[in-house]
Amino acid sequence: MNVDLSKLVHGGKIPISGKVKVPNEFLKDTDIRRITPVDVTGYVLDKDGNYELDINVKGVMILPCARTLKDVNYPFNININEIIGENDDNSLQIIQNRLEIFPIIWQYILVDVPLRVLAPDAKEVPLQGDGWRLITEDTNEEKIDPRLAKLKDYIKE
């Protein structure tokens, strides 16, 4: 998404409104399976030779469930407030009076990806099965290994 900075009068704003489609090659090394076109609204403001980007990004990412690997819709709503300087090494480059803001949007989307999501029907977790059961720290059960049971006779309390 390009912003034409030549429309910006000193001290003025450029409104930003539109949808951004994330290319599939951006999803390769992420947990995101798919992402809907992202709604971007906000403005770019001229601030003493720097540009302030104040936008809101909304969309839905499809992520794998941590237990079942089913698709889970994860809606996101991100507010971005960045200052972009013309002479700043860490900022985006302004080429021919145009500013490409998609890299900033993509960085914020990646930061918003949760570590794990659960499908609504994945809440039922079996606590025991064929030859196994879940043991937690709260389980207060001392079971003596039968191979070591004879050692109990040698310990005097």
Side-chain angles (χ1 to χ4, degrees):
M1 175 173 248
N2 281 325
V3 177
D4 185 8
L5 297 175
S6 64
K7 296 178 182 176
L8 190 61
V9 180
H10 185 68
K13 291 183 185 180
I14 296 177
I16 299 172
S17 179
K19 288 190 179 272
V20 176
K21 186 174 188 305
V22 178
N24 287 337
E25 57 264 11
F26 280 85
L27 304 178
K28 281 189 180 171
D29 292 324
T30 67
D31 288 337
I32 304 171
R33 290 184 175 170
R34 290 182 309 279
I35 191 166
T36 63
V38 178
D39 292 323
V40 180
T41 56
Y43 60 87
V44 175
L45 176 70
D46 183 14
K47 255 193 168 172
D48 303 324
N50 294 325
Y51 300 101
E52 181 180 344
L53 181 64
D54 189 10
I55 58 176
N56 180 271
V57 179
K58 292 180 187 176
V60 177
M61 10 178 151
I62 290 83
L63 302 169
C65 173
R67 290 191 185 136
T68 63
L69 295 180
K70 292 180 181 178
D71 287 349
V72 177
N73 290 341
Y74 181 78
F76 60 91
N77 185 355
I78 306 168
N79 290 317
I80 301 173
N81 192 332
E82 285 276 331
I83 305 247
I84 300 162
E86 289 182 356
N87 298 325
D88 190 7
D89 292 338
N90 297 328
S91 69
L92 300 175
Q93 290 184 349
I94 299 169
I95 301 172
Q96 295 178 352
N97 232 7
R98 291 191 166 276
L99 174 64
E100 174 62 41
I101 62 171
F102 179 73
I104 292 175
I105 294 170
W106 182 241
Q107 287 173 359
Y108 275 85
I109 290 173
L110 286 178
V111 168
D112 200 51
V113 174
L115 293 176
R116 61 183 272 186
V117 293
L118 295 175
D121 59 346
K123 301 237 187 233
E124 287 291 325
V125 179
L127 299 178
Q128 60 186 13
D130 188 22
W132 68 273
R133 67 186 170 92
L134 179 67
I135 298 175
T136 63
E137 291 179 1
D138 297 334
T139 306
N140 198 8
E141 179 181 314
E142 288 188 34
K143 193 169 188 178
I144 298 175
D145 188 348
R147 297 171 291 180
L148 303 174
K150 288 281 185 186
L151 291 176
K152 187 177 180 184
D153 297 338
Y154 294 110
I155 298 174
K156 293 182 181 178
E157 294 182 33

